[in-house]
Amino acid sequence: MNAWTSLFSALFIVIALVLISWLGVGVAGTSLFGIVIPYIAIAIFLLGVVARIVQWARVPVPFRIPTTCGQGKSLPWIKADNLESPYNTWGVIGRMALEVLLFRSLFRNTRAELWPGPNVTYASAKWLWLAGMLFHYGFLIIVLRHLRFFIEPVPSFVEAISSVDGFFQILLPTVFISDAIFLIGATYLFLRRVKIPQLRYISLPADYFPLFLLLGIAISGVLMRNVWKVDLLAVKQLALGLVTFHPAMPEAAIGPIFFVHLFLVSVLLVYLPFSKIMHFGGVFLSPTRNMANVNRMERYVNPWNYPVKVHTYEEYEDDFREKMKEAGIPVEKE
Amino acid sequence: MPKPEDLLIDTDLRTMPAKPWMETRANFRDGTYSFPGAPKNLKYLGLANPREWSPTDEDWKLPDNWQEIILKGFKERLEKYRSFRLFMDICVRCGACMDKCHFFIGSGDPKNMPVLRAELMRSVYRNDFTTMGRLLGRLGGARELTIDVLKEWFYYFFQCTECRRCSVFCPYGIDTAEVTMIGRELLNLVGLNINWVIEPAANCFRTGNHLGIPPHGLTDMWEFMVDDIEDLTGVKIDLPVNKKGAEILFVTPSGDYFADPGTYTCMGYMMLFHELGLDYTWSTYASEGGNFGLFTSHEMIKRLNAKIYAEAKRLGVKWIIGGECGHMWRVIHQYMETMNGPADFLEEPVSPITGTKFENAKQTKMVHITEFTSDLIKNGKLKLDPSRNDKFRVTYHDSCNPARAAGLLDEPRYVIENVCNNFFEMPENTIREQTFCCAGGAGLGNDENMEMRMRGGLPRANAVRHVRDKHDVNRLLCMCAIDRATLTAMMHYWAPDVEVGGIHELLANALIMEGENERTLDLRGEPFKEEEESEDV
Ligand code: SF4
Ligand code: SF4
């Protein structure tokens, strides 16, 4: 598939989704988009995520294969690096925490360049790390902020997040700071994919689609709050109805932009368990990162280890006995 | 071979082919692929489909149902290896790994980007094992397993040295080497393998070592070394072979028995053990630690590795020391005990000289020689004269496997710093866990593949050239027998004037032995002091 086909096919699908919901609400009614589809989406999401994780977790890990990124534990006077080459559970937890919370491996990133000579040089390349942090943390804050719609009374930490987030709104009138952070991160990730030739070459529709979908969700959210304002009270009514299993469409009408937003979120939820976005679950199961480097210290058992055909010493001696005797090598049988 | 300055003239990391990668075919260009496994070797090991064939042939003489065999094998492995299953699913194609592979840097071939190397398999995975892929086809990144795809697998999985450098940078720890290993296993199911892997594997199986030297041949070679040591030092050392009841079994890569510069390292071990009066033994049966099964299949790893514990048991030793070898240590560290353990007939290793317990090896009962030696040095048990190595300006190559599979980084450095006075590190992006491969591991260190080796070796050699120009480095140390062989050719090509050697070679130069003559020659028979004394230390 051509690089541009990947990009545009993903873009078209997202545009189609926007149109379906924008126009569909008028035709099929709000309860389909406001109640039925979100319920189906959440069910598929929950079942799907659990099924995927169970599917992975059921596959055995026959060998302990951590990638060691630092000095392993050996002699007492050699300083072992418990975070990069963990030798106990704390080390593993620390390593995973660094990885999951701070994207440790991406922080290491460098860019290799080839010069005439030939010469290779490596430059620090932390932009991907930074964009990844903005993107994921922006997303996290947005999700947490949304809890205000689903929980009554609103938990204080959600209030706190919202007010800190909104505080900067004075400076930046149209978006929450977290929205901006998220949009900047996502836009960078998109541009990077298009601009770096190698990355464009390897990108599939499955790489562009989630980005466009998330961008669509963020943009429709921003529009809904700042441009085509919707009745937030009505939205909250609907959301509370959904989480308490008393779904009902609120009396007050909610503008179609809200249903676009909600529909795109539903699509994301459905898509997620079947896509690369599952990396959020997979990273915890990754054997190169979540195992301690204690291979020579502790016994490890492979559940499907089986006997194999070997060349035994007896067979070996039978092959070479005379020669061994001549050479003065001790043998078992004379 | 083109001249070094011309080799990469058309190589560019940023220009991608116009055609999408799914539609390009592997181009078997001379100098970039390895010759196929000879039928006799396959037969000896009982592997599938032994026959004469060549990668440049149109017809690879595969079994009729080859597709079925591969897909069945694929499914089996998805159910047996979580690593494999996960690595098929969670790559986000972020590209953090794309310029981390020495073969990509040296060839500019996008399919040598680790991410794309793995995608060669993921595309088939999606097509045959995922719902999305089945539904969406090409749009979902899926493609059918055709003969061209299979040929592409062969080309690119035998263009990966399984060095794991890419895995260090991946945010999920995706280890393309794992994918390559499984890829090679699948290829083996239909008789696709390379001779530089299969012949050593067959030899190891039959004779215990990879060049197929029979026991009496080994003792001949060892005795040569003993004689050389006597000539150089005046010390006649004894060499215990297959000695029952010895305390320690010593296992090392057989590469060190028969080719310079490995032989000097081997003499180094002999001198060290003699000087210590160690109660140990060599073995003709377990005369090879290197395990070419690692480049064939997990099953073959186990078949070849089994002899080490078996021999330890037969000889009744207490524990084992392993020499300077790369993939041998990957196997010992990651697989041996799981496959062929528990080693409960052995005792937890304790150095008889210093009394140090090697806690980190209490389960496998196998200690790395640099762990053993650095402990000796730390405890002041060796008399060393590092000035004997003053003519060497030394740098150190972290061999990939001990570095990224075992985390052995500081022990070798400690030994080096104590046996020579001039040690210079290469730039930090190229050492320790970020070390670059010699480009000749995993069975690719053959002559027909020379162009690819030189291309892939550029990042390593470039870093050596850097310290050569900056610090006049003239000796590259490493602790892997494959490295000692392949880096020699590499240096000759990219960084002339830098010679390659092992750590225990320099140790033995510096080692003051009891009853030795006035030593004037190093292990290579060259004077310790160069003719004209340079005063720039
Ligand atoms: S770094 Fe990991 S996730 Fe990113 S492209 Fe490479 S293998 Fe995939
Ligand atoms: S394991 Fe090494 S050779 Fe293989 S793709 Fe990764 S970096 Fe390249």
Side-chain angles (χ1 to χ4, degrees):
Chain A
M1 184 163 352
N2 184 294
W4 300 111
T5 324
S6 287
L7 193 162
F8 286 111
S9 56
L11 184 61
F12 284 135
I13 298 173
V14 174
I15 291 175
L17 293 171
V18 171
L19 291 177
I20 289 173
S21 48
W22 185 274
L23 304 173
V25 174
V27 182
T30 50
S31 38
L32 176 67
F33 284 89
I35 296 169
V36 180
I37 292 177
Y39 267 139
I40 297 176
I42 287 182
I44 295 180
F45 169 76
L46 291 176
L47 288 176
V49 167
V50 172
R52 275 318 276 291
I53 294 198
V54 169
Q55 193 183 36
W56 286 330
R58 281 174 53 168
V59 181
V61 183
F63 303 107
R64 182 152 38 200
I65 51 162
T67 306
T68 60
C69 296
Q71 174 62 41
K73 184 160 176 58
S74 64
L75 297 159
W77 47 274
I78 288 182
K79 198 170 168 295
D81 189 341
N82 203 14
L83 288 174
E84 300 277 24
S85 185
Y87 51 82
N88 57 26
T89 313
W90 286 113
V92 172
I93 293 173
R95 182 184 208 186
M96 283 309 273
L98 279 184
E99 205 57 76
V100 173
L101 301 175
L102 296 174
F103 302 177
R104 169 75 184 100
S105 296
L106 277 187
F107 194 73
R108 251 191 283 265
N109 198 18
T110 52
R111 193 178 64 241
E113 277 173 52
L114 191 59
W115 306 92
N119 263 316
V120 201
T121 58
Y122 314 92
S124 158
K126 304 222 186 300
W127 290 111
L128 172 60
W129 171 82
L130 185 67
M133 291 289 281
L134 294 180
F135 177 82
H136 286 88
Y137 276 99
F139 189 78
L140 177 70
I141 294 171
I142 293 172
V143 169
L144 291 177
R145 223 177 49 212
H146 276 67
L147 290 178
R148 62 163 42 258
F149 293 103
F150 299 95
I151 307 175
E152 187 59 48
V154 180
S156 54
F157 81 94
V158 177
E159 293 276 21
I161 289 172
S162 302
S163 63
V164 172
D165 208 352
F167 175 75
F168 292 97
Q169 236 184 325
I170 307 160
L171 311 170
L172 207 73
T174 52
V175 277
F176 269 122
I177 187 80
S178 53
D179 290 348
I181 286 177
F182 177 78
L183 283 169
I184 292 169
T187 309
Y188 177 83
L189 291 179
F190 167 68
L191 289 177
R192 179 176 173 272
R193 223 171 247 295
V194 181
K195 290 208 65 170
I196 300 180
Q198 296 99 316
L199 212 55
R200 189 167 66 228
Y201 191 68
I202 60 173
S203 292
L204 297 170
D207 297 313
Y208 291 108
F209 178 70
L211 269 179
F212 290 145
L213 194 60
L214 284 165
L215 279 169
I217 292 170
I219 292 168
S220 60
V222 171
L223 287 176
M224 159 165 71
R225 209 185 26 252
N226 301 297
V227 184
W228 298 307
K229 296 203 165 115
V230 297
D231 183 343
L232 287 183
L233 236 73
V235 170
K236 179 148 189 175
Q237 248 180 359
L238 173 65
L240 277 176
L242 289 174
V243 291
T244 54
F245 293 102
H246 295 297
M249 288 313 295
E251 313 254 307
I254 311 176
I257 184 77
F258 167 75
F259 292 98
V260 172
H261 187 68
L262 188 60
F263 184 65
L264 295 184
V265 171
S266 305
V267 172
L268 179 68
L269 290 176
V270 172
Y271 178 72
L272 203 144
F274 307 100
S275 69
K276 72 170 194 180
I277 314 180
M278 274 308 291
H279 66 261
F280 79 85
V283 64
F284 293 96
L285 294 174
S286 182
T288 53
R289 290 284 188 271
N290 71 8
M291 305 185 97
N293 176 30
V294 290
N295 297 41
R296 286 189 287 144
M297 252 178 268
E298 286 170 23
R299 175 121 183 91
Y300 189 81
V301 178
N302 172 1
W304 50 258
N305 197 15
Y306 58 91
V308 296
K309 187 175 177 319
V310 299
H311 191 226
T312 62
Y313 178 81
E314 290 69 34
E315 290 165 334
Y316 168 87
E317 195 182 293
D318 287 346
D319 288 349
F320 299 109
R321 183 168 298 108
E322 291 315 311
K323 292 278 161 56
M324 287 171 80
K325 284 204 298 213
E326 261 171 53
I329 305 169
V331 289
E332 297 274 332
K333 274 192 261 170
E334 283 305 318
Chain B
M1 280 295 292
K3 288 213 284 295
E5 54 277 20
D6 296 335
L7 181 68
L8 272 78
I9 242 157
D10 298 321
T11 306
D12 169 10
L13 304 187
R14 293 182 67 86
T15 311
M16 294 288 110
K19 252 200 190 174
W21 65 264
M22 283 197 193
E23 285 150 37
T24 53
R25 296 172 52 174
N27 172 16
F28 287 85
R29 198 159 50 78
D30 277 356
T32 68
Y33 66 90
S34 308
F35 295 155
K40 69 169 187 344
N41 298 320
L42 272 69
K43 273 188 209 137
Y44 188 78
L45 291 168
L47 297 179
N49 200 15
R51 73 217 178 281
E52 293 286 350
W53 67 288
S54 159
T56 51
D57 293 345
E58 194 53 40
D59 177 11
W60 281 16
K61 302 184 199 156
L62 299 173
D64 289 335
N65 61 340
W66 68 267
Q67 248 163 332
E68 203 182 300
I69 298 173
I70 299 251
L71 291 176
K72 186 165 156 275
F74 207 127
K75 180 158 183 289
E76 255 171 51
R77 283 159 184 80
L78 288 171
E79 288 160 2
K80 279 170 112 175
Y81 297 88
R82 188 184 298 165
S83 51
F84 183 47
R85 171 102 218 190
L86 210 63
F87 297 164
M88 288 292 104
D89 279 330
I90 60 171
C91 170
V92 294
R93 284 172 300 280
C94 66
C97 61
M98 71 192 179
D99 54 357
K100 305 302 179 286
C101 177
H102 50 288
F103 282 119
F104 174 64
I105 295 172
S107 71
D109 183 339
K111 285 180 192 167
N112 274 328
M113 295 192 274
V115 46
L116 212 47
R117 197 188 308 283
E119 286 289 310
L120 301 179
M121 241 161 135
R122 280 193 201 107
S123 52
V124 172
Y125 167 71
R126 292 191 196 101
N127 192 62
D128 289 272
F129 303 101
T130 72
T131 328
M132 280 278 204
R134 243 175 245 140
L135 287 175
L136 297 174
R138 280 269 151 123
L139 211 55
R143 63 177 180 167
E144 220 188 302
L145 177 59
T146 61
I147 187 72
D148 284 340
V149 170
L150 192 78
K151 289 183 175 181
E152 193 180 46
W153 283 12
F154 180 83
Y155 190 64
Y156 291 102
F157 295 153
F158 287 104
Q159 226 166 71
C160 164
T161 40
E162 303 180 350
C163 77
R164 307 182 103 204
R165 187 171 193 264
C166 44
S167 143
V168 168
F169 297 88
C170 172
Y172 318 118
I174 293 177
D175 183 2
T176 305
E178 278 283 293
V179 178
T180 295
M181 284 166 70
I182 303 267
R184 288 186 178 193
E185 268 191 48
L186 296 179
L187 291 169
N188 265 283
L189 295 178
V190 292
L192 300 176
N193 28 40
I194 63 173
N195 205 47
W196 207 248
V197 169
I198 290 304
E199 184 149 315
N203 284 338
C204 284
F205 197 67
R206 189 171 68 90
T207 62
N209 61 74
H210 88 264
L211 272 205
I213 304 172
H216 50 289
L218 283 179
T219 45
D220 279 354
M221 294 180 135
W222 290 337
E223 258 141 39
F224 265 129
M225 293 187 201
V226 170
D227 291 345
D228 280 352
I229 293 170
E230 189 173 8
D231 289 346
L232 290 169
T233 65
V235 179
K236 169 91 183 146
I237 68 170
D238 38 44
L239 197 75
V241 176
N242 292 8
K243 177 179 149 194
K244 283 204 172 176
E247 182 178 356
I248 297 166
L249 169 65
F250 180 64
V251 179
T252 199
S254 66
D256 285 351
Y257 306 154
F258 37 70
D260 300 346
T263 45
Y264 307 119
T265 305
C266 198
M267 287 157 64
Y269 307 139
M270 293 173 176
M271 289 162 65
L272 172 68
F273 296 154
H274 170 86
E275 184 57 23
L276 295 171
L278 202 68
D279 178 18
Y280 83 111
T281 182
W282 296 74
S283 160
T284 59
Y285 173 58
S287 54
E288 169 81 89
N291 189 317
F292 285 75
L294 185 66
F295 319 134
T296 313
S297 68
H298 287 83
E299 182 168 306
M300 195 62 74
I301 299 177
K302 183 172 172 177
R303 287 173 65 184
L304 298 184
N305 174 265
K307 65 184 173 228
I308 298 180
Y309 279 151
E311 184 71 341
K313 195 168 195 172
R314 183 182 77 89
L315 296 176
V317 302
K318 290 188 183 151
W319 55 283
I320 311 168
I321 295 180
E324 295 181 23
C325 181
H327 63 285
M328 155 176 163
W329 271 95
R330 167 108 157 255
V331 169
I332 287 164
H333 196 76
Q334 295 193 332
Y335 302 107
M336 172 153 94
E337 227 267 341
T338 311
M339 285 172 167
N340 292 311
D344 43 15
F345 52 92
L346 295 172
E347 290 174 17
E348 290 184 25
V350 177
S351 169
I353 316 296
T354 65
T356 301
K357 272 194 189 163
F358 294 97
E359 300 266 353
N360 64 328
K362 63 172 181 247
Q363 187 62 35
T364 49
K365 279 89 171 179
M366 188 145 176
V367 173
H368 191 280
I369 181 96
T370 61
E371 294 169 344
F372 180 71
T373 307
S374 53
D375 172 62
L376 294 171
I377 297 175
K378 180 79 184 177
N379 284 290
K381 298 293 180 192
L382 297 180
K383 276 194 239 122
L384 298 169
D385 176 5
S387 73
R388 286 186 188 161
N389 285 318
D390 274 354
K391 69 174 172 179
F392 299 123
R393 301 179 66 82
V394 172
T395 192
Y396 174 61
H397 162 66
D398 288 272
S399 308
C400 300
N401 286 311
R404 278 186 290 263
L408 279 160
L409 304 173
D410 288 335
E411 296 86 346
R413 286 181 168 75
Y414 186 79
V415 177
I416 294 168
E417 281 165 354
N418 279 285
V419 300
C420 70
N421 291 317
N422 309 299
F423 173 52
F424 305 93
E425 289 277 13
M426 287 182 268
E428 64 168 336
N429 291 317
T430 69
I431 54 167
R432 299 177 75 93
E433 68 271 11
Q434 301 197 26
T435 184
F436 270 108
C437 185
C438 65
L444 308 186
N446 51 59
D447 288 349
E448 67 265 21
N449 187 39
M450 195 55 94
E451 182 186 326
M452 211 49 192
R453 277 170 60 191
M454 294 304 127
R455 286 179 175 275
L458 177 70
R460 170 73 303 152
N462 202 69
V464 176
R465 214 170 50 195
H466 178 83
V467 284
R468 181 198 68 181
D469 295 346
K470 201 165 155 198
H471 303 292
D472 291 326
V473 160
N474 56 10
R475 175 60 64 92
L476 172 63
L477 298 186
C478 59
M479 51 176 199
C480 168
I482 289 185
D483 287 349
R484 281 192 276 280
T486 60
L487 285 175
T488 300
M490 180 76 60
M491 290 304 120
H492 194 70
Y493 188 77
W494 286 123
D497 304 328
V498 179
E499 304 231 26
V500 180
I503 297 171
H504 281 75
E505 177 189 344
L506 285 209
L507 176 107
N509 278 342
L511 185 69
I512 301 174
M513 297 176 79
E514 191 145 328
E516 70 178 12
N517 298 338
E518 175 93 27
R519 276 169 71 186
T520 53
L521 301 178
D522 66 14
L523 289 201
R524 302 190 182 190
E526 290 157 8
F528 281 135
K529 299 255 183 297
E530 271 157 2
E531 299 297 303
E532 22 168 2
E533 294 274 1
S534 59
E535 294 292 39
D536 60 347
V537 177

